[in-house]
Amino acid sequence: MKYEVTIGLEVHCEVKTNTKMFSSAANRYESTANENINEVDLAFPGTMPVVNYEGVKKALKMAMALNCELPTKMYFDRKNYYYPDLPKGFQLTQMHDPVGINGYLDVYVDDVVKRIHIHDIHLEEDTASLDHYSTFSLIDYNRAGIPLLETVTEPCIHSADEALAFLESLRKIFLYCDVSEARTDRGQMRCDVNVSLAPVGSNELGTKVEMKNINSFSNVKEAIQYEIERQTQILDSGSKVIQETRRYDDTDMKTYRMREKVDGLDYKYYIEPNIPPFIITEELKKEVKDSIPKLQFERTQIYMNEYEISKYDAIVLVKDKEIADFFEETIILGANPKSVSNWLTTNVTGYLNKIDKNVSDISLTPKRLFELIELVDNGKISSKQSKDVFIKILEEDKEPKDIVDELGIKQIDDDAQIRAMVVEILEGNLHLIEDYRKGKNVFDFFVGQVMKRTRGQANPSLTAQIIKEE
């Protein structure tokens, strides 16, 4: 029997702020445990929470970026439960009126635009982190109280590829909006995955299985694929899938049962009495909205439709906001978009990947790239020579024109000078001319000889034209 896969995601992402959500302790990743904590984080008696305004603004920013409806006022709820990583015995979160509801995010899945619907996005505090050993566990409270945004999708995802496309696009928005570093290797972005299977054409969803705290995108994809296979085998055998919570083990790429899932767990939510509700004013909304940059999906559309960049190159350009900004700044100076795209998606990104740095860390600027492209377009240097100039810009932090003068590599455009060389080379290789007339591919040999004599300075298109004429 064929089954339709339905997937829902709950994505937790830590918000980048100077201090934690409700305390003055530093919000900073540390290798030393229990360094960034204070009385509020440890729930000492008599301590009171104070809302981090920057955390609220960044939560609103993400809600707007995800096309959500915003509430008229902001308040927090207590989610009451006991677990060792929760020192208060409750978590401050948003249950009844989250910062954003009914949003969506358009993503590319292969060549098709898929709209992923967002149920809600809410702001809460993170828990402490636990390290489990054979006979004991250790608690690190550095993470306790860090502002955390949870983005919950509708059950509208139908493949591992769609889930991965959504996660990658969501991470880019966090980075574009400067809301989070979203580093999975530091646990700053984690994901719970719900998977269910139902017969194709069924009006009801299948039994949902939840996989908790998957900490990398590749693991999300592997976990979904494994769970689809596991549930398919269960249903094909005539058995029923059990509603449960499972964990993913990346060593053998399988999921394992943790506990049976119970619907409607009573957390006894109620409004946090120590944090007064406050109005989300129109002025605040405008301030936040004006701070949202042009996001990657919109830029991809512009690059493809207005600049006629290929879809592949457009996606490469928007992958890093700094590269996308660099691209647009160079175009504003008057450079040809396709030329800029070619440089950035090949030479520049290749160099950056090699040295593991950002484009802002190197001495190439939009102005210098524009001047380098202009030198080639105006016939001053050849495309081959431009690669040498590019390396010199990076190594010596100099202007392109100064490097060209120092190297003495201006392109030769003199027809008579090139023609004299061509005639001499042809007369010395008459047997190859006969081969050429018989259809043999020897043309590149003649071009190469001219380039060799001029040390690559002859205009290649003019050289080819003259060789054909002669």
Side-chain angles (χ1 to χ4, degrees):
M1 183 180 291
K2 291 187 177 180
Y3 303 100
E4 182 174 15
V5 179
T6 302
I7 301 165
L9 301 176
E10 300 172 18
V11 186
H12 300 81
C13 192
E14 293 179 357
V15 178
K16 183 168 67 173
T17 53
N18 291 328
T19 57
K20 294 183 179 181
M21 192 59 220
F22 302 106
S23 84
S24 59
N27 177 9
R28 186 172 60 242
Y29 182 82
E30 296 285 0
S31 57
T32 304
N34 297 311
E35 185 169 336
N36 300 328
I37 56 175
N38 68 11
E39 302 88 344
V40 176
D41 305 322
L42 296 176
F44 280 16
T47 55
M48 297 281 282
V50 178
V51 175
N52 185 328
Y53 188 55
E54 186 64 21
V56 171
K57 288 170 66 176
K58 288 190 171 181
L60 287 168
K61 195 173 188 178
M62 278 303 296
M64 289 183 180
L66 293 174
N67 307 290
C68 291
E69 300 171 16
L70 306 181
T72 56
K73 61 182 178 181
M74 174 80 79
Y75 63 88
F76 293 90
D77 300 286
R78 283 192 185 185
K79 179 181 182 181
N80 297 276
Y81 68 97
Y82 175 77
Y83 202 69
D85 62 6
L86 196 67
K88 297 187 186 78
F90 63 84
Q91 180 187 31
L92 290 178
T93 183
Q94 292 183 307
M95 171 63 180
H96 298 100
D97 209 358
V99 71
I101 61 171
N102 300 329
Y104 66 87
L105 178 60
D106 290 330
V107 302
Y108 277 108
V109 184
D110 296 326
D111 290 326
V112 179
V113 176
K114 166 80 176 182
R115 175 161 292 187
I116 308 296
H117 295 278
I118 309 293
H119 180 274
D120 74 79
I121 178 169
H122 56 268
L123 179 61
E124 59 189 21
E125 60 180 339
D126 208 345
T127 61
S129 55
L130 291 168
D131 291 319
H132 299 290
Y133 299 91
S134 57
T135 59
F136 64 93
S137 296
L138 297 178
I139 305 178
D140 180 2
Y141 289 101
N142 281 342
R143 202 176 73 181
I146 287 178
L148 190 71
L149 277 172
E150 180 173 352
T151 306
V152 182
T153 74
E154 298 286 0
C156 61
I157 300 169
H158 299 291
S159 71
D161 288 336
E162 287 183 16
L164 200 62
F166 172 79
L167 290 172
E168 289 173 344
S169 296
L170 183 64
R171 183 175 184 273
K172 286 176 189 173
I173 293 178
F174 276 114
L175 294 173
Y176 264 66
C177 292
D178 196 32
V179 169
S180 175
E181 293 177 351
R183 289 184 56 169
T184 56
D185 62 320
R186 291 184 173 181
Q188 294 171 342
M189 193 170 181
R190 318 183 290 276
C191 186
D192 297 344
V193 183
N194 298 307
V195 178
S196 68
L197 269 63
V200 173
S202 174
N203 294 324
E204 296 182 0
L205 295 178
T207 302
K208 179 175 67 176
V209 173
E210 181 181 32
M211 293 173 283
K212 299 288 286 185
N213 287 328
I214 304 177
N215 59 6
S216 79
F217 293 173
S218 59
N219 284 351
V220 168
K221 184 174 182 178
E222 295 289 346
I224 290 173
Q225 290 174 336
Y226 175 81
E227 194 58 26
I228 290 171
E229 292 177 9
R230 188 187 73 86
Q231 292 187 32
T232 298
Q233 290 176 4
I234 292 172
L235 295 172
D236 283 348
S237 69
S239 301
K240 292 183 178 180
V241 174
I242 299 172
Q243 185 171 349
E244 60 186 351
T245 300
R246 301 176 71 87
R247 65 176 178 85
Y248 176 73
D249 190 331
D250 58 7
T251 56
D252 58 6
M253 296 186 292
K254 294 181 180 180
T255 64
Y256 293 92
R257 177 172 177 163
M258 294 172 63
R259 58 186 176 271
E260 190 170 336
K261 184 74 174 177
V262 179
D263 277 332
L265 202 62
D266 186 7
Y267 290 112
K268 295 182 174 63
Y269 287 99
Y270 61 84
I271 295 176
E272 166 57 43
N274 293 322
I275 301 176
F278 55 91
I279 303 297
I280 300 176
T281 64
E282 293 302 318
E283 290 77 14
L284 176 58
K285 289 180 184 179
K286 184 179 185 308
E287 177 190 348
V288 172
K289 187 174 183 180
D290 290 345
S291 69
I292 299 175
K294 194 161 48 180
L295 299 176
Q296 82 281 4
F297 186 84
E298 181 185 359
R299 292 193 192 209
T300 302
Q301 298 292 305
I302 292 172
Y303 296 174
M304 291 167 57
N305 298 329
E306 293 187 18
Y307 301 141
E308 298 181 347
I309 305 298
S310 72
K311 181 190 167 190
Y312 175 83
D313 286 346
I315 290 174
V316 172
L317 290 170
V318 303
K319 187 176 182 181
D320 182 340
K321 182 176 179 294
E322 284 191 11
I323 291 289
D325 289 342
F326 195 106
F327 173 71
E328 294 180 14
E329 289 171 25
T330 311
I331 289 174
I332 290 172
L333 294 173
N336 180 285
K338 289 187 178 180
S339 298
V340 180
S341 173
N342 290 338
W343 272 99
L344 289 175
T345 57
T346 53
N347 302 78
V348 176
T349 54
Y351 178 78
L352 294 174
N353 290 336
K354 184 178 179 180
I355 63 172
D356 193 25
K357 288 189 176 181
N358 299 318
V359 72
S360 57
D361 299 326
I362 62 176
S363 54
L364 184 72
T365 64
K367 182 174 179 292
R368 285 176 173 176
L369 181 57
F370 165 67
E371 290 175 353
L372 181 59
I373 292 171
E374 200 172 38
L375 286 169
V376 177
D377 290 346
N378 292 339
K380 302 295 184 183
I381 61 175
S382 67
S383 177
K384 182 178 182 299
Q385 290 168 334
S386 70
K387 306 296 190 299
D388 299 328
V389 177
F390 170 70
I391 296 300
K392 286 288 185 181
I393 292 172
L394 299 173
E395 291 176 347
E396 301 179 8
D397 193 12
K398 293 180 180 179
E399 301 303 320
K401 291 179 182 178
D402 295 336
I403 294 171
V404 169
D405 291 338
E406 288 176 11
L407 297 178
I409 57 171
K410 287 185 178 178
Q411 186 164 268
I412 299 172
D413 290 310
D414 186 287
D415 185 293
Q417 184 181 352
I418 295 175
R419 194 174 294 272
M421 263 184 281
V422 168
V423 170
E424 184 179 340
I425 291 168
L426 291 176
E427 288 178 347
N429 295 275
L430 295 176
H431 62 291
L432 292 179
I433 295 176
E434 291 303 317
D435 290 341
Y436 174 74
R437 288 171 178 164
K438 293 176 182 177
K440 291 187 179 180
N441 185 18
V442 295
F443 188 82
D444 289 344
F445 168 79
F446 293 122
V447 175
Q449 289 299 302
V450 175
M451 291 300 170
K452 184 177 179 181
R453 290 196 182 190
T454 62
R455 296 180 180 178
Q457 290 179 251
N459 184 315
S461 59
L462 179 60
T463 299
Q465 177 187 329
I466 291 172
I467 291 172
K468 287 177 182 177
E469 290 174 0
E470 293 296 330

